[in-house]
Amino acid sequence: MRIATTIFLTDRTITPVRLARELEQRGFAGLYLPEHTHIPVSRESPYPAGDELPDEYGRTLDPFVALGQAAAVTERLALGTGITLIAQHDPIDLAKQAATLDHLSGGRFTLGIGYGWNVEEAADHGVEWSTRRALGSERLALMRALWSDEPTAYEGEFASVRASHAYPKPVQRPRGPVIGPRTLIGGAAGPKLFARIAREADGWLPIGGRGLSESVPKLRAAWEEAGRDPEQLHVVPYAVQPSPGKLAHFAELGIEEVVAQLPPAGEAEVLRALDAYAAFL
């Protein structure tokens, strides 16, 4: 099983360059980074995990800039977002960023996308909360038009682009309905999410990995009903606190990659966590 990591990198934590080098040297599979552009002070949205929102949410580095640094100092380390808040981005700009990172890293990029929980943050980006999932789907479709080998137009309710020259192209080649970098969608288990994954993505990025015994077979059924190759479905439990029993359970479900949570801390504390996780490599 591949063990990747995720961390809230901030202006106070270990740097992307230092972390990426340590991960590759120690044999970890990848680095996934979360995203929040800002956290409005007058917050009404409850933090999904309960209690107070941790300080690092308002201090996160831009994931694409940080992953660009990580790509420059590694050769094998997979790089991903976990997650990109796709509705909050201009899709033409995001298509360029993702394709550039995939190109410069030699095809090592995974675009993890999601729809968010912070209503106020999304509103500042002009996102109407009730339509954010439909908006995200259209923006992903527009990006794939730009990633296509031939100039391709896209016209939707929320987004459109003329047939255009848009380079670089992602290194990763089309598979099924998916064009561009490996794409994983985050979110809570349910038939709507699973249908969207089967239509638009390479797999699922479930936070924590609870309840997968029930949800993974349902996702596989939706995947096969959509005519997708069963061997190409990726389920990647995200922000996991690993243990031997948990990893063995994931392996029984056919899961081949897990993303372990690192503390949003300085170099010494993060390296101690890597030392502890090394037992699972």
Side-chain angles (χ1 to χ4, degrees), residues 151-177:
T152 303
Y154 177 79
E155 184 71 36
E157 180 182 356
F158 302 104
S160 62
V161 70
R162 298 171 176 84
S164 303
H165 299 293
Y167 290 85
K169 302 297 184 186
V171 173
Q172 299 170 58
R173 301 308 302 158
R175 58 260 169 226

Side-chain angles (χ1 to χ4, degrees), residues 3-4 239-247 250 258-261 273 276-277 280:
I3 307 296
V240 169
Q241 298 293 336
S243 69
K246 191 178 294 185
L247 296 180
F250 291 157
V258 172
V259 182
Q261 180 71 61
Y277 290 164
F280 303 119

Side-chain angles (χ1 to χ4, degrees), residues 20-272:
R21 285 174 168 156
E22 289 289 338
L23 289 170
E24 184 157 277
Q25 289 171 6
R26 293 162 182 256
F28 286 89
L31 173 62
Y32 290 74
L33 296 181
E35 172 184 60
H36 283 283
T37 53
H38 66 301
I39 300 295
V41 173
S42 57
R43 208 166 50 77
E44 299 174 12
S45 301
Y47 175 43
D51 300 322
E52 292 296 316
L53 184 69
D55 179 66
E56 60 265 20
Y57 277 72
R59 307 190 75 100
T60 54
L61 302 184
D62 178 276
F64 287 91
V65 175
L67 290 170
Q69 283 198 327
V73 297
T74 58
E75 296 180 351
R76 302 176 304 279
L77 190 72
L79 309 160
T81 55
I83 48 88
T84 295
L85 295 163
I86 189 168
Q88 296 180 188
H89 284 266
D90 178 291
I92 299 173
D93 287 341
L94 184 58
K96 176 69 77 173
Q97 288 175 291
T100 298
L101 182 53
D102 198 55
H103 168 74
L104 292 177
S105 68
R108 289 186 277 152
F109 179 54
T110 291
L111 178 64
I113 63 172
Y115 308 104
W117 58 268
N118 192 315
V119 178
E120 297 77 46
E121 178 185 0
D124 284 347
H125 286 278
V127 176
E128 176 64 41
W129 193 248
S130 63
T131 61
R132 71 192 187 283
R133 290 183 175 85
L135 173 64
S137 291
E138 285 203 4
R139 288 187 169 172
L140 183 59
L142 184 153
M143 291 161 64
R144 288 179 173 161
L146 292 172
W147 292 335
S148 297
D149 289 334
E150 298 298 328
T152 303
Y154 177 79
E155 184 71 36
E157 180 182 356
F158 302 104
S160 62
V161 70
R162 298 171 176 84
S164 303
H165 299 293
Y167 290 85
K169 302 297 184 186
V171 173
Q172 299 170 58
R173 301 308 302 158
R175 58 260 169 226
V178 181
I179 297 172
R182 183 175 75 147
T183 301
L184 304 176
I185 300 180
K192 290 183 179 179
L193 178 71
F194 290 168
R196 180 172 280 112
I197 290 171
R199 290 194 309 268
E200 302 176 1
D202 295 294
W204 185 28
L205 203 62
I207 294 177
R210 291 184 179 179
L212 294 185
S213 295
E214 294 182 4
S215 55
V216 167
K218 294 176 182 177
L219 172 57
R220 287 191 173 129
W223 184 266
E224 294 183 27
E225 185 177 343
R228 305 290 300 274
D229 182 349
E231 298 298 319
Q232 292 186 353
L233 173 62
H234 298 243
V235 177
V236 183
Y238 188 78
V240 169
Q241 298 293 336
S243 69
K246 191 178 294 185
L247 296 180
H249 175 59
F250 291 157
E252 290 173 356
L253 294 173
I255 290 168
E256 298 178 347
E257 179 183 1
V258 172
V259 182
Q261 180 71 61
L262 292 170
E267 183 173 313
E269 185 175 346
V270 170
L271 295 186
R272 284 195 296 271

